[in-house]
Amino acid sequence: MSLGKKIAVNASLLGAGRMVIAAMGVVTVGLATRQLGVEAYGAFAAATAFATMAGTLTDIGLWTMGAREIAKRPDETQRIVGTILVIGVGLSAAAAGVSVGIAFLLYPGSENELIRRGILILLLTIPLTAPYGAASAYFISQQKAYLGMLASFVSSVVTLTGLVLATVLDWSFTTIMFAFAAAYVSQSAVMVLLVRGEVRLVPHFDLGLSRRLIAWSLPLGGAMLMQALYWRVDLIMLSKLDSRSEVALYGLAFKVVDAVIVLPTFVAITLLPEFARLAEQRERFDEVMQKAFSAIQVATVAIFVLFVAYAPQITQIVGGADFAGAAPVLQILAIAVFFSYFGAVMAEAFVANNRQGQLFWVSLSALPLNIALNFALIPALGARGAAVAFAISEAVIVTSVCVLYRRFAAFPRPHRPAQVAVAGCAMGSVALLKLVPPIAAVGPVPILLVGSALSLLVYAGGLYALRAMPREIHANLVLPLWARLRPQ
């Protein structure tokens, strides 16, 4: 299978899986907001944000470095996987202890009891990240990252089932948090089952290899930690500087963004093994990056327009009428998504060229900027201020990554930017139809489903009409899809 087809298959399966999971996530959030109410959902959002940051400490870039090394040295796969497992066990134990202490320092007093309880429940699942990470590294190296999506799908089913039961049986906040913890358990269990027969998850202590993996991983892990901090610190600062209702609005909007902000990584994780093998073949390396950049550019415009145009309908469907204030927050966060998509692909090129240390310094410099912006903007603008801080921070990081990328590789050219912009404007104009009174009266679900489908069709048609559809998307995605759908 050609690289283009591998990327198309992985990205399509991962993207489709992510969309299904996102749809279930919409239902899950809707059930959670209605069962918990605005105040308790604010505590839930803060607890899950904290637990997500704590989970970053269990990786420190180890899974990515492990995948890179397996791709470069397939004959040492078992030794590398076993070493990743041993390091992961140690990291999870350390992360759990540190996170518990920080949780009690950050959220003291009876008024934060719900947040602390939610954090502690979710932290119970941290030891499971070691086998999950070892299996994930192996699957990424084999360009089978879609198997990780299968585990996430099972986790989402467990979460949705738990929330349905919570609604029917009128469960409490604590019981709902245990339902979310059970979902994390199921995700790790599925990954362990899937990897059986391909590689053994048996601990292997190799001091020399451990030192090298940790040395390579720490800069990337630091960058991931800094990124996770500024991705979540806005919500945590919002919980300290503003009301629970503002936390709930931001938490809901970010939950929607969280469902799609990872989409470019589905292309990037497929490219990582290829980038690792091509690190010394500069011409071919630049060619692959150019194709990936063009595809990401076209996809980014579509996602941005959809979020900006249909934010009111999305937030109303997810959270109900009480969360109408989340719509402008989501529109601002769409700007951050726009920038992050380009940075995600280029980050894998840094890793393949063993320049992950530069990613760490970029992320480290952005964190104080993000914190300062949150301090300045949250008191005046609440959730919207936190969203602005996040968008500015993301723009600064991606700009810095672009500057550094030019130092070791040819920077990819924008793909027919004027034509793509015109197609994007045509796509956005379709959303204006929802302002027509008879259409506006039909409700948010039909408007979102029909409107987004029409918008995407107009966008694709515009790209073809203006000869701006990237060849890689046409050959490896559109044509195979058309061949399956057309009448025989």
Side-chain angles (χ1 to χ4, degrees):
M1 186 183 294
S2 68
L3 178 60
K5 288 185 178 180
K6 286 181 181 178
I7 294 173
V9 169
N10 272 285
S12 298
L13 291 174
L14 290 168
R18 187 66 177 182
M19 290 301 101
V20 172
I21 291 172
M24 288 193 290
V26 167
V27 179
T28 299
V29 172
L31 291 171
T33 55
R34 289 163 176 80
Q35 177 67 18
L36 295 173
V38 174
E39 290 294 317
Y41 183 77
F44 166 83
T48 52
F50 184 94
T52 300
M53 287 195 297
T56 307
L57 297 175
T58 66
D59 180 2
I60 66 162
L62 178 66
W63 308 343
T64 302
M65 289 297 108
R68 186 191 74 178
E69 292 307 301
I70 294 171
K72 292 169 66 175
R73 297 180 287 164
D75 55 314
E76 298 183 42
T77 296
Q78 188 60 61
R79 184 167 73 104
I80 296 171
V81 169
T83 304
I84 293 172
L85 184 61
V86 170
I87 299 173
V89 170
L91 288 175
S92 62
V98 171
S99 299
V100 169
I102 294 175
F104 276 89
L105 288 174
L106 193 60
Y107 295 108
S110 58
E111 69 277 9
N112 292 313
E113 194 273 334
L114 275 184
I115 298 178
R116 289 199 307 273
R117 190 191 312 167
I119 291 172
L120 292 176
I121 291 171
L122 294 178
L123 288 180
L124 292 174
T125 65
I126 273 192
L128 299 174
T129 58
Y132 175 90
S136 178
Y138 173 77
F139 285 136
I140 291 172
S141 72
Q142 305 303 303
Q143 296 178 314
K144 295 181 179 180
Y146 53 84
L147 293 176
M149 183 57 67
L150 177 59
S152 297
F153 172 77
V154 173
S155 174
S156 295
V157 171
V158 173
T159 302
L160 180 57
T161 302
L163 263 295
V164 170
L165 291 174
T167 303
V168 173
L169 302 176
D170 194 26
W171 283 352
S172 65
F173 174 88
T174 300
T175 312
I176 290 174
M177 294 307 303
F178 272 113
F180 272 81
Y184 292 133
V185 173
S186 66
Q187 185 177 25
S188 296
V190 170
M191 286 292 277
V192 171
L193 290 174
L194 288 173
V195 83
R196 291 181 64 186
E198 296 199 39
V199 68
R200 291 177 295 117
L201 293 181
V202 178
H204 179 88
F205 183 74
D206 185 316
L207 183 59
L209 178 59
S210 297
R211 286 175 175 173
R212 290 195 298 274
L213 283 173
I214 292 174
W216 291 328
S217 300
L218 281 176
L220 180 60
M224 292 169 62
L225 178 60
M226 293 301 105
Q227 186 178 54
L229 284 173
Y230 93 83
W231 274 23
R232 306 296 176 179
V233 75
D234 41 11
L235 197 148
I236 292 174
M237 291 181 67
L238 194 60
S239 70
K240 304 295 289 184
L241 298 174
D242 215 312
S243 64
R244 289 272 181 88
S245 60
E246 288 294 304
V247 175
L249 294 179
Y250 189 84
L252 183 137
F254 203 93
K255 188 72 175 179
V256 175
V257 166
D258 203 36
V260 297
I261 203 166
V262 299
L263 291 180
T265 63
F266 300 157
V267 174
I269 60 178
T270 307
L271 287 171
L272 175 60
E274 195 72 17
F275 279 157
R277 289 187 284 264
L278 295 175
E280 303 302 324
Q281 303 174 39
R282 186 56 57 195
E283 185 175 344
R284 174 60 177 160
F285 182 95
D286 293 339
E287 179 187 349
V288 172
M289 173 57 77
Q290 179 62 62
K291 293 178 179 179
F293 189 89
S294 298
I296 288 295
Q297 176 190 334
V298 169
T300 299
V301 172
I303 295 294
F304 177 77
V305 173
L306 285 177
F307 271 167
V308 172
Y310 296 100
Q313 287 71 40
I314 294 171
T315 53
Q316 187 176 350
I317 292 169
V318 176
D322 291 342
F323 286 81
V329 179
L330 179 58
Q331 290 170 329
I332 297 170
L333 288 175
I335 301 172
V337 174
F338 181 86
F339 284 105
S340 71
Y341 272 31
F342 296 103
V345 175
M346 286 187 287
E348 299 301 333
F350 279 81
V351 173
N353 285 271
N354 207 30
R355 293 173 178 263
Q356 57 271 14
Q358 294 178 344
L359 296 177
F360 168 72
W361 292 111
V362 169
S363 299
L364 181 63
S365 64
L367 181 60
L369 170 65
N370 180 262
I371 293 174
L373 288 170
N374 276 299
F375 268 120
L377 297 174
I378 287 176
L381 300 174
R384 285 176 294 174
V388 170
F390 181 74
I392 293 175
S393 300
E394 195 65 30
V396 169
I397 282 184
V398 174
T399 301
S400 301
V401 167
C402 291
V403 171
L404 292 171
Y405 184 89
R406 291 177 178 272
R407 297 181 180 178
F408 69 90
F411 192 80
R413 302 179 307 278
H415 174 73
R416 300 180 70 84
Q419 291 87 339
V420 173
V422 170
C425 290
M427 176 185 177
S429 66
V430 175
L432 297 177
L433 294 174
K434 69 180 183 176
L435 302 177
V436 178
I439 297 178
V442 301
V445 175
I447 289 176
L448 178 61
L449 293 178
V450 177
S452 60
L454 287 175
S455 296
L456 289 171
L457 285 173
V458 168
Y459 183 56
L463 291 174
Y464 276 110
L466 297 169
R467 298 182 180 181
M469 179 65 77
R471 293 180 180 177
E472 292 70 32
I473 295 180
H474 173 75
N476 297 305
L477 191 60
V478 177
L479 284 184
L481 181 61
W482 174 249
R484 290 180 177 273
L485 294 178
R486 68 181 178 182
Q488 297 298 322

